[in-house]
Amino acid sequence: MTPDQAARAAVRVGVVTSAIGAVLTAAPKRAGPLVGLADPLAARLVGLADLALVPGLLRGRPRWPWLAARVGLNVMIIGYAIGTDRRNHQAQVSAAALVAATVSDLIALSALWVAETERSPSADC
């Protein structure tokens, strides 16, 4: 993945994160169960955390720390979804989808991080 592709991927992640975050924040009782978050407070907190990352994903410079934060949030959501109720099919499906999204995010994160460290002046100079 090139740095330009990774930057575009971060923007796509930001757009999707914005939509999901807005829905979970505005209607946690209705939207939460659709993604396996039966507790409205948990759904709203996930939505708010998503929305907090959106500005950095869309316009952050550098973007890799924002993708790293997104990966960390994904891991926490996956853990929550798996740990809340193993019989919650929606949570299991959402966790699996989030694992796939996280792998994609990690690939983009790696490309952005390498590009940024190559651009930065060396500390030895």
PDB file of all heavy atoms in Angstrom, residues 55-98:
ATOM      1  N   PRO A  55     -11.996  13.812  13.400  1.00  0.00           N
ATOM      2  CA  PRO A  55     -11.188  14.924  12.878  1.00  0.00           C
ATOM      3  C   PRO A  55      -9.762  14.514  12.509  1.00  0.00           C
ATOM      4  O   PRO A  55      -9.246  14.925  11.466  1.00  0.00           O
ATOM      5  CB  PRO A  55     -11.189  15.938  14.026  1.00  0.00           C
ATOM      6  CG  PRO A  55     -12.424  15.627  14.806  1.00  0.00           C
ATOM      7  CD  PRO A  55     -12.584  14.135  14.707  1.00  0.00           C
ATOM      8  N   GLY A  56      -9.145  13.693  13.338  1.00  0.00           N
ATOM      9  CA  GLY A  56      -7.786  13.253  13.037  1.00  0.00           C
ATOM     10  C   GLY A  56      -7.708  12.306  11.863  1.00  0.00           C
ATOM     11  O   GLY A  56      -6.759  12.359  11.073  1.00  0.00           O
ATOM     12  N   LEU A  57      -8.698  11.442  11.720  1.00  0.00           N
ATOM     13  CA  LEU A  57      -8.715  10.523  10.589  1.00  0.00           C
ATOM     14  C   LEU A  57      -8.923  11.269   9.274  1.00  0.00           C
ATOM     15  O   LEU A  57      -8.356  10.903   8.245  1.00  0.00           O
ATOM     16  CB  LEU A  57      -9.808   9.469  10.771  1.00  0.00           C
ATOM     17  CG  LEU A  57      -9.552   8.447  11.883  1.00  0.00           C
ATOM     18  CD1 LEU A  57     -10.830   7.657  12.168  1.00  0.00           C
ATOM     19  CD2 LEU A  57      -8.411   7.513  11.517  1.00  0.00           C
ATOM     20  N   LEU A  58      -9.729  12.312   9.303  1.00  0.00           N
ATOM     21  CA  LEU A  58     -10.020  13.058   8.078  1.00  0.00           C
ATOM     22  C   LEU A  58      -8.946  14.079   7.725  1.00  0.00           C
ATOM     23  O   LEU A  58      -8.628  14.266   6.546  1.00  0.00           O
ATOM     24  CB  LEU A  58     -11.374  13.758   8.195  1.00  0.00           C
ATOM     25  CG  LEU A  58     -12.598  12.856   8.295  1.00  0.00           C
ATOM     26  CD1 LEU A  58     -13.854  13.691   8.459  1.00  0.00           C
ATOM     27  CD2 LEU A  58     -12.701  11.934   7.083  1.00  0.00           C
ATOM     28  N   ARG A  59      -8.393  14.753   8.741  1.00  0.00           N
ATOM     29  CA  ARG A  59      -7.491  15.870   8.432  1.00  0.00           C
ATOM     30  C   ARG A  59      -6.207  15.888   9.254  1.00  0.00           C
ATOM     31  O   ARG A  59      -5.410  16.812   9.129  1.00  0.00           O
ATOM     32  CB  ARG A  59      -8.236  17.183   8.617  1.00  0.00           C
ATOM     33  CG  ARG A  59      -9.449  17.269   7.694  1.00  0.00           C
ATOM     34  CD  ARG A  59     -10.091  18.607   7.645  1.00  0.00           C
ATOM     35  NE  ARG A  59      -9.217  19.712   7.439  1.00  0.00           N
ATOM     36  CZ  ARG A  59      -8.870  20.233   6.251  1.00  0.00           C
ATOM     37  NH1 ARG A  59      -9.328  19.704   5.167  1.00  0.00           N
ATOM     38  NH2 ARG A  59      -8.074  21.280   6.168  1.00  0.00           N
ATOM     39  N   GLY A  60      -6.013  14.911  10.099  1.00  0.00           N
ATOM     40  CA  GLY A  60      -4.843  14.897  10.977  1.00  0.00           C
ATOM     41  C   GLY A  60      -3.532  14.833  10.207  1.00  0.00           C
ATOM     42  O   GLY A  60      -3.444  14.229   9.150  1.00  0.00           O
ATOM     43  N   ARG A  61      -2.528  15.478  10.740  1.00  0.00           N
ATOM     44  CA  ARG A  61      -1.177  15.438  10.181  1.00  0.00           C
ATOM     45  C   ARG A  61      -0.205  15.241  11.318  1.00  0.00           C
ATOM     46  O   ARG A  61      -0.062  16.123  12.140  1.00  0.00           O
ATOM     47  CB  ARG A  61      -0.835  16.737   9.437  1.00  0.00           C
ATOM     48  CG  ARG A  61      -1.712  17.020   8.261  1.00  0.00           C
ATOM     49  CD  ARG A  61      -1.415  16.068   7.082  1.00  0.00           C
ATOM     50  NE  ARG A  61      -2.157  16.433   5.906  1.00  0.00           N
ATOM     51  CZ  ARG A  61      -3.321  15.901   5.562  1.00  0.00           C
ATOM     52  NH1 ARG A  61      -3.884  14.992   6.307  1.00  0.00           N
ATOM     53  NH2 ARG A  61      -3.932  16.273   4.474  1.00  0.00           N
ATOM     54  N   PRO A  62       0.388  14.117  11.447  1.00  0.00           N
ATOM     55  CA  PRO A  62       0.240  12.913  10.637  1.00  0.00           C
ATOM     56  C   PRO A  62      -1.035  12.150  11.002  1.00  0.00           C
ATOM     57  O   PRO A  62      -1.610  12.366  12.064  1.00  0.00           O
ATOM     58  CB  PRO A  62       1.481  12.082  10.993  1.00  0.00           C
ATOM     59  CG  PRO A  62       1.798  12.489  12.391  1.00  0.00           C
ATOM     60  CD  PRO A  62       1.417  13.943  12.494  1.00  0.00           C
ATOM     61  N   ARG A  63      -1.433  11.260  10.111  1.00  0.00           N
ATOM     62  CA  ARG A  63      -2.666  10.503  10.339  1.00  0.00           C
ATOM     63  C   ARG A  63      -2.427   9.186  11.064  1.00  0.00           C
ATOM     64  O   ARG A  63      -3.352   8.630  11.637  1.00  0.00           O
ATOM     65  CB  ARG A  63      -3.363  10.211   9.011  1.00  0.00           C
ATOM     66  CG  ARG A  63      -4.138  11.392   8.507  1.00  0.00           C
ATOM     67  CD  ARG A  63      -5.184  10.946   7.500  1.00  0.00           C
ATOM     68  NE  ARG A  63      -5.930  12.083   7.056  1.00  0.00           N
ATOM     69  CZ  ARG A  63      -5.824  12.626   5.840  1.00  0.00           C
ATOM     70  NH1 ARG A  63      -5.031  12.114   4.954  1.00  0.00           N
ATOM     71  NH2 ARG A  63      -6.538  13.678   5.524  1.00  0.00           N
ATOM     72  N   TRP A  64      -1.196   8.678  11.022  1.00  0.00           N
ATOM     73  CA  TRP A  64      -0.984   7.353  11.599  1.00  0.00           C
ATOM     74  C   TRP A  64      -1.338   7.270  13.084  1.00  0.00           C
ATOM     75  O   TRP A  64      -1.852   6.232  13.502  1.00  0.00           O
ATOM     76  CB  TRP A  64       0.438   6.832  11.309  1.00  0.00           C
ATOM     77  CG  TRP A  64       1.543   7.546  12.018  1.00  0.00           C
ATOM     78  CD1 TRP A  64       2.319   8.554  11.524  1.00  0.00           C
ATOM     79  CD2 TRP A  64       2.002   7.304  13.346  1.00  0.00           C
ATOM     80  NE1 TRP A  64       3.217   8.957  12.472  1.00  0.00           N
ATOM     81  CE2 TRP A  64       3.051   8.200  13.592  1.00  0.00           C
ATOM     82  CE3 TRP A  64       1.625   6.426  14.358  1.00  0.00           C
ATOM     83  CZ2 TRP A  64       3.722   8.247  14.806  1.00  0.00           C
ATOM     84  CZ3 TRP A  64       2.296   6.463  15.567  1.00  0.00           C
ATOM     85  CH2 TRP A  64       3.336   7.365  15.770  1.00  0.00           C
ATOM     86  N   PRO A  65      -1.109   8.303  13.909  1.00  0.00           N
ATOM     87  CA  PRO A  65      -1.517   8.150  15.316  1.00  0.00           C
ATOM     88  C   PRO A  65      -3.040   7.994  15.467  1.00  0.00           C
ATOM     89  O   PRO A  65      -3.514   7.318  16.382  1.00  0.00           O
ATOM     90  CB  PRO A  65      -1.043   9.442  15.985  1.00  0.00           C
ATOM     91  CG  PRO A  65       0.024   9.980  15.089  1.00  0.00           C
ATOM     92  CD  PRO A  65      -0.387   9.554  13.713  1.00  0.00           C
ATOM     93  N   TRP A  66      -3.775   8.608  14.583  1.00  0.00           N
ATOM     94  CA  TRP A  66      -5.235   8.516  14.631  1.00  0.00           C
ATOM     95  C   TRP A  66      -5.695   7.115  14.233  1.00  0.00           C
ATOM     96  O   TRP A  66      -6.639   6.579  14.818  1.00  0.00           O
ATOM     97  CB  TRP A  66      -5.864   9.589  13.752  1.00  0.00           C
ATOM     98  CG  TRP A  66      -5.539  10.946  14.260  1.00  0.00           C
ATOM     99  CD1 TRP A  66      -4.521  11.764  13.842  1.00  0.00           C
ATOM    100  CD2 TRP A  66      -6.185  11.636  15.327  1.00  0.00           C
ATOM    101  NE1 TRP A  66      -4.514  12.911  14.585  1.00  0.00           N
ATOM    102  CE2 TRP A  66      -5.531  12.864  15.503  1.00  0.00           C
ATOM    103  CE3 TRP A  66      -7.270  11.330  16.138  1.00  0.00           C
ATOM    104  CZ2 TRP A  66      -5.911  13.786  16.454  1.00  0.00           C
ATOM    105  CZ3 TRP A  66      -7.665  12.261  17.098  1.00  0.00           C
ATOM    106  CH2 TRP A  66      -6.986  13.472  17.246  1.00  0.00           C
ATOM    107  N   LEU A  67      -5.023   6.548  13.243  1.00  0.00           N
ATOM    108  CA  LEU A  67      -5.334   5.169  12.882  1.00  0.00           C
ATOM    109  C   LEU A  67      -4.930   4.220  14.010  1.00  0.00           C
ATOM    110  O   LEU A  67      -5.625   3.244  14.283  1.00  0.00           O
ATOM    111  CB  LEU A  67      -4.624   4.767  11.587  1.00  0.00           C
ATOM    112  CG  LEU A  67      -5.385   5.019  10.293  1.00  0.00           C
ATOM    113  CD1 LEU A  67      -4.528   4.678   9.084  1.00  0.00           C
ATOM    114  CD2 LEU A  67      -6.677   4.246  10.246  1.00  0.00           C
ATOM    115  N   ALA A  68      -3.826   4.507  14.672  1.00  0.00           N
ATOM    116  CA  ALA A  68      -3.403   3.683  15.814  1.00  0.00           C
ATOM    117  C   ALA A  68      -4.456   3.745  16.923  1.00  0.00           C
ATOM    118  O   ALA A  68      -4.796   2.718  17.532  1.00  0.00           O
ATOM    119  CB  ALA A  68      -2.039   4.138  16.324  1.00  0.00           C
ATOM    120  N   ALA A  69      -4.987   4.929  17.165  1.00  0.00           N
ATOM    121  CA  ALA A  69      -6.048   5.070  18.174  1.00  0.00           C
ATOM    122  C   ALA A  69      -7.289   4.304  17.740  1.00  0.00           C
ATOM    123  O   ALA A  69      -7.961   3.669  18.564  1.00  0.00           O
ATOM    124  CB  ALA A  69      -6.366   6.544  18.396  1.00  0.00           C
ATOM    125  N   ARG A  70      -7.602   4.343  16.460  1.00  0.00           N
ATOM    126  CA  ARG A  70      -8.759   3.605  15.940  1.00  0.00           C
ATOM    127  C   ARG A  70      -8.559   2.100  16.132  1.00  0.00           C
ATOM    128  O   ARG A  70      -9.481   1.389  16.517  1.00  0.00           O
ATOM    129  CB  ARG A  70      -8.975   3.948  14.463  1.00  0.00           C
ATOM    130  CG  ARG A  70     -10.104   3.228  13.821  1.00  0.00           C
ATOM    131  CD  ARG A  70     -11.438   3.702  14.335  1.00  0.00           C
ATOM    132  NE  ARG A  70     -12.364   2.587  14.233  1.00  0.00           N
ATOM    133  CZ  ARG A  70     -13.484   2.483  14.893  1.00  0.00           C
ATOM    134  NH1 ARG A  70     -13.882   3.441  15.689  1.00  0.00           N
ATOM    135  NH2 ARG A  70     -14.248   1.445  14.755  1.00  0.00           N
ATOM    136  N   VAL A  71      -7.359   1.621  15.857  1.00  0.00           N
ATOM    137  CA  VAL A  71      -7.046   0.201  16.062  1.00  0.00           C
ATOM    138  C   VAL A  71      -7.241  -0.163  17.539  1.00  0.00           C
ATOM    139  O   VAL A  71      -7.844  -1.183  17.864  1.00  0.00           O
ATOM    140  CB  VAL A  71      -5.616  -0.127  15.580  1.00  0.00           C
ATOM    141  CG1 VAL A  71      -5.148  -1.474  16.112  1.00  0.00           C
ATOM    142  CG2 VAL A  71      -5.546  -0.094  14.055  1.00  0.00           C
ATOM    143  N   GLY A  72      -6.736   0.687  18.430  1.00  0.00           N
ATOM    144  CA  GLY A  72      -6.898   0.432  19.862  1.00  0.00           C
ATOM    145  C   GLY A  72      -8.359   0.394  20.273  1.00  0.00           C
ATOM    146  O   GLY A  72      -8.776  -0.483  21.041  1.00  0.00           O
ATOM    147  N   LEU A  73      -9.148   1.330  19.759  1.00  0.00           N
ATOM    148  CA  LEU A  73     -10.579   1.343  20.059  1.00  0.00           C
ATOM    149  C   LEU A  73     -11.255   0.089  19.514  1.00  0.00           C
ATOM    150  O   LEU A  73     -12.080  -0.526  20.190  1.00  0.00           O
ATOM    151  CB  LEU A  73     -11.236   2.603  19.488  1.00  0.00           C
ATOM    152  CG  LEU A  73     -12.741   2.738  19.713  1.00  0.00           C
ATOM    153  CD1 LEU A  73     -13.072   2.759  21.204  1.00  0.00           C
ATOM    154  CD2 LEU A  73     -13.259   4.009  19.025  1.00  0.00           C
ATOM    155  N   ASN A  74     -10.874  -0.308  18.294  1.00  0.00           N
ATOM    156  CA  ASN A  74     -11.440  -1.527  17.715  1.00  0.00           C
ATOM    157  C   ASN A  74     -11.170  -2.734  18.610  1.00  0.00           C
ATOM    158  O   ASN A  74     -12.055  -3.555  18.844  1.00  0.00           O
ATOM    159  CB  ASN A  74     -10.865  -1.791  16.322  1.00  0.00           C
ATOM    160  CG  ASN A  74     -11.405  -0.868  15.268  1.00  0.00           C
ATOM    161  OD1 ASN A  74     -12.299  -0.075  15.507  1.00  0.00           O
ATOM    162  ND2 ASN A  74     -10.846  -0.960  14.076  1.00  0.00           N
ATOM    163  N   VAL A  75      -9.937  -2.840  19.100  1.00  0.00           N
ATOM    164  CA  VAL A  75      -9.583  -3.978  19.953  1.00  0.00           C
ATOM    165  C   VAL A  75     -10.438  -3.976  21.221  1.00  0.00           C
ATOM    166  O   VAL A  75     -10.921  -5.032  21.655  1.00  0.00           O
ATOM    167  CB  VAL A  75      -8.077  -3.966  20.277  1.00  0.00           C
ATOM    168  CG1 VAL A  75      -7.725  -4.968  21.365  1.00  0.00           C
ATOM    169  CG2 VAL A  75      -7.262  -4.242  19.013  1.00  0.00           C
ATOM    170  N   MET A  76     -10.647  -2.801  21.797  1.00  0.00           N
ATOM    171  CA  MET A  76     -11.494  -2.723  22.996  1.00  0.00           C
ATOM    172  C   MET A  76     -12.943  -3.104  22.682  1.00  0.00           C
ATOM    173  O   MET A  76     -13.585  -3.818  23.461  1.00  0.00           O
ATOM    174  CB  MET A  76     -11.426  -1.330  23.610  1.00  0.00           C
ATOM    175  CG  MET A  76     -10.089  -1.042  24.272  1.00  0.00           C
ATOM    176  SD  MET A  76     -10.037   0.478  25.225  1.00  0.00           S
ATOM    177  CE  MET A  76     -10.268   1.700  23.965  1.00  0.00           C
ATOM    178  N   ILE A  77     -13.456  -2.646  21.553  1.00  0.00           N
ATOM    179  CA  ILE A  77     -14.833  -2.976  21.171  1.00  0.00           C
ATOM    180  C   ILE A  77     -14.957  -4.479  20.911  1.00  0.00           C
ATOM    181  O   ILE A  77     -15.939  -5.108  21.325  1.00  0.00           O
ATOM    182  CB  ILE A  77     -15.273  -2.161  19.936  1.00  0.00           C
ATOM    183  CG1 ILE A  77     -15.315  -0.666  20.261  1.00  0.00           C
ATOM    184  CG2 ILE A  77     -16.641  -2.634  19.437  1.00  0.00           C
ATOM    185  CD1 ILE A  77     -15.442   0.224  19.029  1.00  0.00           C
ATOM    186  N   ILE A  78     -13.976  -5.063  20.246  1.00  0.00           N
ATOM    187  CA  ILE A  78     -13.988  -6.502  19.987  1.00  0.00           C
ATOM    188  C   ILE A  78     -14.009  -7.264  21.315  1.00  0.00           C
ATOM    189  O   ILE A  78     -14.803  -8.190  21.500  1.00  0.00           O
ATOM    190  CB  ILE A  78     -12.778  -6.914  19.127  1.00  0.00           C
ATOM    191  CG1 ILE A  78     -12.920  -6.353  17.712  1.00  0.00           C
ATOM    192  CG2 ILE A  78     -12.619  -8.441  19.104  1.00  0.00           C
ATOM    193  CD1 ILE A  78     -11.634  -6.382  16.901  1.00  0.00           C
ATOM    194  N   GLY A  79     -13.155  -6.867  22.229  1.00  0.00           N
ATOM    195  CA  GLY A  79     -13.120  -7.514  23.540  1.00  0.00           C
ATOM    196  C   GLY A  79     -14.433  -7.386  24.275  1.00  0.00           C
ATOM    197  O   GLY A  79     -14.927  -8.352  24.874  1.00  0.00           O
ATOM    198  N   TYR A  80     -15.014  -6.201  24.216  1.00  0.00           N
ATOM    199  CA  TYR A  80     -16.311  -5.974  24.870  1.00  0.00           C
ATOM    200  C   TYR A  80     -17.385  -6.850  24.231  1.00  0.00           C
ATOM    201  O   TYR A  80     -18.167  -7.493  24.917  1.00  0.00           O
ATOM    202  CB  TYR A  80     -16.692  -4.502  24.791  1.00  0.00           C
ATOM    203  CG  TYR A  80     -18.037  -4.210  25.403  1.00  0.00           C
ATOM    204  CD1 TYR A  80     -18.169  -4.040  26.776  1.00  0.00           C
ATOM    205  CD2 TYR A  80     -19.178  -4.123  24.615  1.00  0.00           C
ATOM    206  CE1 TYR A  80     -19.413  -3.790  27.347  1.00  0.00           C
ATOM    207  CE2 TYR A  80     -20.418  -3.877  25.167  1.00  0.00           C
ATOM    208  CZ  TYR A  80     -20.534  -3.705  26.535  1.00  0.00           C
ATOM    209  OH  TYR A  80     -21.755  -3.465  27.095  1.00  0.00           O
ATOM    210  N   ALA A  81     -17.419  -6.860  22.901  1.00  0.00           N
ATOM    211  CA  ALA A  81     -18.445  -7.623  22.187  1.00  0.00           C
ATOM    212  C   ALA A  81     -18.327  -9.113  22.486  1.00  0.00           C
ATOM    213  O   ALA A  81     -19.333  -9.790  22.714  1.00  0.00           O
ATOM    214  CB  ALA A  81     -18.345  -7.376  20.690  1.00  0.00           C
ATOM    215  N   ILE A  82     -17.127  -9.623  22.514  1.00  0.00           N
ATOM    216  CA  ILE A  82     -16.928 -11.044  22.780  1.00  0.00           C
ATOM    217  C   ILE A  82     -17.218 -11.362  24.247  1.00  0.00           C
ATOM    218  O   ILE A  82     -17.801 -12.396  24.566  1.00  0.00           O
ATOM    219  CB  ILE A  82     -15.496 -11.465  22.406  1.00  0.00           C
ATOM    220  CG1 ILE A  82     -15.345 -11.425  20.886  1.00  0.00           C
ATOM    221  CG2 ILE A  82     -15.163 -12.849  22.948  1.00  0.00           C
ATOM    222  CD1 ILE A  82     -13.931 -11.615  20.400  1.00  0.00           C
ATOM    223  N   GLY A  83     -16.838 -10.460  25.133  1.00  0.00           N
ATOM    224  CA  GLY A  83     -16.971 -10.731  26.557  1.00  0.00           C
ATOM    225  C   GLY A  83     -18.351 -10.508  27.146  1.00  0.00           C
ATOM    226  O   GLY A  83     -18.649 -11.028  28.213  1.00  0.00           O
ATOM    227  N   THR A  84     -19.200  -9.757  26.476  1.00  0.00           N
ATOM    228  CA  THR A  84     -20.502  -9.431  27.073  1.00  0.00           C
ATOM    229  C   THR A  84     -21.452 -10.611  27.095  1.00  0.00           C
ATOM    230  O   THR A  84     -22.076 -10.883  28.106  1.00  0.00           O
ATOM    231  CB  THR A  84     -21.172  -8.248  26.350  1.00  0.00           C
ATOM    232  OG1 THR A  84     -21.283  -8.550  24.971  1.00  0.00           O
ATOM    233  CG2 THR A  84     -20.424  -6.971  26.556  1.00  0.00           C
ATOM    234  N   ASP A  85     -21.583 -11.289  25.991  1.00  0.00           N
ATOM    235  CA  ASP A  85     -22.545 -12.383  25.936  1.00  0.00           C
ATOM    236  C   ASP A  85     -22.214 -13.243  24.725  1.00  0.00           C
ATOM    237  O   ASP A  85     -22.448 -12.834  23.595  1.00  0.00           O
ATOM    238  CB  ASP A  85     -23.970 -11.832  25.828  1.00  0.00           C
ATOM    239  CG  ASP A  85     -25.029 -12.922  25.868  1.00  0.00           C
ATOM    240  OD1 ASP A  85     -24.666 -14.114  25.938  1.00  0.00           O
ATOM    241  OD2 ASP A  85     -26.213 -12.563  25.834  1.00  0.00           O
ATOM    242  N   ARG A  86     -21.689 -14.407  24.968  1.00  0.00           N
ATOM    243  CA  ARG A  86     -21.279 -15.292  23.868  1.00  0.00           C
ATOM    244  C   ARG A  86     -22.457 -15.750  23.008  1.00  0.00           C
ATOM    245  O   ARG A  86     -22.281 -16.207  21.903  1.00  0.00           O
ATOM    246  CB  ARG A  86     -20.509 -16.480  24.403  1.00  0.00           C
ATOM    247  CG  ARG A  86     -19.207 -16.074  25.027  1.00  0.00           C
ATOM    248  CD  ARG A  86     -18.321 -17.280  25.235  1.00  0.00           C
ATOM    249  NE  ARG A  86     -17.121 -16.895  25.944  1.00  0.00           N
ATOM    250  CZ  ARG A  86     -16.025 -16.430  25.378  1.00  0.00           C
ATOM    251  NH1 ARG A  86     -15.988 -16.273  24.086  1.00  0.00           N
ATOM    252  NH2 ARG A  86     -14.968 -16.113  26.093  1.00  0.00           N
ATOM    253  N   ARG A  87     -23.672 -15.619  23.525  1.00  0.00           N
ATOM    254  CA  ARG A  87     -24.854 -16.001  22.743  1.00  0.00           C
ATOM    255  C   ARG A  87     -25.357 -14.852  21.876  1.00  0.00           C
ATOM    256  O   ARG A  87     -26.297 -15.019  21.113  1.00  0.00           O
ATOM    257  CB  ARG A  87     -25.961 -16.469  23.684  1.00  0.00           C
ATOM    258  CG  ARG A  87     -25.585 -17.734  24.445  1.00  0.00           C
ATOM    259  CD  ARG A  87     -26.611 -17.974  25.496  1.00  0.00           C
ATOM    260  NE  ARG A  87     -26.751 -16.733  26.265  1.00  0.00           N
ATOM    261  CZ  ARG A  87     -26.978 -16.672  27.552  1.00  0.00           C
ATOM    262  NH1 ARG A  87     -27.133 -17.752  28.243  1.00  0.00           N
ATOM    263  NH2 ARG A  87     -27.075 -15.524  28.180  1.00  0.00           N
ATOM    264  N   ASN A  88     -24.764 -13.686  22.010  1.00  0.00           N
ATOM    265  CA  ASN A  88     -25.186 -12.517  21.244  1.00  0.00           C
ATOM    266  C   ASN A  88     -24.602 -12.624  19.830  1.00  0.00           C
ATOM    267  O   ASN A  88     -23.465 -12.252  19.587  1.00  0.00           O
ATOM    268  CB  ASN A  88     -24.712 -11.239  21.949  1.00  0.00           C
ATOM    269  CG  ASN A  88     -25.182  -9.980  21.265  1.00  0.00           C
ATOM    270  OD1 ASN A  88     -25.477  -9.965  20.075  1.00  0.00           O
ATOM    271  ND2 ASN A  88     -25.221  -8.898  22.012  1.00  0.00           N
ATOM    272  N   HIS A  89     -25.410 -13.161  18.914  1.00  0.00           N
ATOM    273  CA  HIS A  89     -24.956 -13.383  17.539  1.00  0.00           C
ATOM    274  C   HIS A  89     -24.529 -12.081  16.862  1.00  0.00           C
ATOM    275  O   HIS A  89     -23.521 -12.041  16.160  1.00  0.00           O
ATOM    276  CB  HIS A  89     -26.051 -14.078  16.730  1.00  0.00           C
ATOM    277  CG  HIS A  89     -25.666 -14.352  15.318  1.00  0.00           C
ATOM    278  ND1 HIS A  89     -24.710 -15.285  14.981  1.00  0.00           N
ATOM    279  CD2 HIS A  89     -26.089 -13.800  14.156  1.00  0.00           C
ATOM    280  CE1 HIS A  89     -24.563 -15.286  13.661  1.00  0.00           C
ATOM    281  NE2 HIS A  89     -25.396 -14.408  13.138  1.00  0.00           N
ATOM    282  N   GLN A  90     -25.281 -11.016  17.078  1.00  0.00           N
ATOM    283  CA  GLN A  90     -24.942  -9.720  16.464  1.00  0.00           C
ATOM    284  C   GLN A  90     -23.558  -9.251  16.926  1.00  0.00           C
ATOM    285  O   GLN A  90     -22.783  -8.724  16.136  1.00  0.00           O
ATOM    286  CB  GLN A  90     -25.993  -8.675  16.799  1.00  0.00           C
ATOM    287  CG  GLN A  90     -27.309  -8.878  16.104  1.00  0.00           C
ATOM    288  CD  GLN A  90     -27.186  -8.845  14.607  1.00  0.00           C
ATOM    289  OE1 GLN A  90     -27.437  -9.842  13.959  1.00  0.00           O
ATOM    290  NE2 GLN A  90     -26.790  -7.751  14.046  1.00  0.00           N
ATOM    291  N   ALA A  91     -23.264  -9.435  18.212  1.00  0.00           N
ATOM    292  CA  ALA A  91     -21.962  -9.023  18.739  1.00  0.00           C
ATOM    293  C   ALA A  91     -20.841  -9.834  18.105  1.00  0.00           C
ATOM    294  O   ALA A  91     -19.781  -9.290  17.774  1.00  0.00           O
ATOM    295  CB  ALA A  91     -21.928  -9.161  20.257  1.00  0.00           C
ATOM    296  N   GLN A  92     -21.065 -11.116  17.912  1.00  0.00           N
ATOM    297  CA  GLN A  92     -20.048 -11.979  17.315  1.00  0.00           C
ATOM    298  C   GLN A  92     -19.797 -11.604  15.850  1.00  0.00           C
ATOM    299  O   GLN A  92     -18.652 -11.540  15.405  1.00  0.00           O
ATOM    300  CB  GLN A  92     -20.459 -13.452  17.428  1.00  0.00           C
ATOM    301  CG  GLN A  92     -20.716 -13.929  18.852  1.00  0.00           C
ATOM    302  CD  GLN A  92     -19.548 -13.684  19.790  1.00  0.00           C
ATOM    303  OE1 GLN A  92     -18.414 -13.976  19.455  1.00  0.00           O
ATOM    304  NE2 GLN A  92     -19.828 -13.141  20.946  1.00  0.00           N
ATOM    305  N   VAL A  93     -20.855 -11.339  15.117  1.00  0.00           N
ATOM    306  CA  VAL A  93     -20.721 -10.922  13.713  1.00  0.00           C
ATOM    307  C   VAL A  93     -20.008  -9.568  13.633  1.00  0.00           C
ATOM    308  O   VAL A  93     -19.101  -9.380  12.816  1.00  0.00           O
ATOM    309  CB  VAL A  93     -22.097 -10.867  13.016  1.00  0.00           C
ATOM    310  CG1 VAL A  93     -22.006 -10.223  11.650  1.00  0.00           C
ATOM    311  CG2 VAL A  93     -22.690 -12.268  12.915  1.00  0.00           C
ATOM    312  N   SER A  94     -20.410  -8.644  14.482  1.00  0.00           N
ATOM    313  CA  SER A  94     -19.770  -7.324  14.492  1.00  0.00           C
ATOM    314  C   SER A  94     -18.301  -7.433  14.868  1.00  0.00           C
ATOM    315  O   SER A  94     -17.454  -6.751  14.288  1.00  0.00           O
ATOM    316  CB  SER A  94     -20.493  -6.396  15.467  1.00  0.00           C
ATOM    317  OG  SER A  94     -21.788  -6.123  15.001  1.00  0.00           O
ATOM    318  N   ALA A  95     -17.988  -8.280  15.842  1.00  0.00           N
ATOM    319  CA  ALA A  95     -16.592  -8.466  16.255  1.00  0.00           C
ATOM    320  C   ALA A  95     -15.768  -9.017  15.093  1.00  0.00           C
ATOM    321  O   ALA A  95     -14.644  -8.562  14.844  1.00  0.00           O
ATOM    322  CB  ALA A  95     -16.508  -9.380  17.467  1.00  0.00           C
ATOM    323  N   ALA A  96     -16.318  -9.972  14.361  1.00  0.00           N
ATOM    324  CA  ALA A  96     -15.598 -10.535  13.213  1.00  0.00           C
ATOM    325  C   ALA A  96     -15.365  -9.471  12.138  1.00  0.00           C
ATOM    326  O   ALA A  96     -14.266  -9.378  11.567  1.00  0.00           O
ATOM    327  CB  ALA A  96     -16.375 -11.719  12.637  1.00  0.00           C
ATOM    328  N   ALA A  97     -16.382  -8.675  11.862  1.00  0.00           N
ATOM    329  CA  ALA A  97     -16.229  -7.595  10.878  1.00  0.00           C
ATOM    330  C   ALA A  97     -15.199  -6.574  11.350  1.00  0.00           C
ATOM    331  O   ALA A  97     -14.402  -6.067  10.549  1.00  0.00           O
ATOM    332  CB  ALA A  97     -17.574  -6.921  10.626  1.00  0.00           C
ATOM    333  N   LEU A  98     -15.205  -6.299  12.630  1.00  0.00           N
ATOM    334  CA  LEU A  98     -14.264  -5.333  13.184  1.00  0.00           C
ATOM    335  C   LEU A  98     -12.830  -5.864  13.151  1.00  0.00           C
ATOM    336  O   LEU A  98     -11.892  -5.089  12.969  1.00  0.00           O
ATOM    337  CB  LEU A  98     -14.680  -4.967  14.611  1.00  0.00           C
ATOM    338  CG  LEU A  98     -14.343  -3.584  15.115  1.00  0.00           C
ATOM    339  CD1 LEU A  98     -14.686  -2.490  14.123  1.00  0.00           C
ATOM    340  CD2 LEU A  98     -15.031  -3.330  16.441  1.00  0.00           C
TER     341      LEU A  98
END
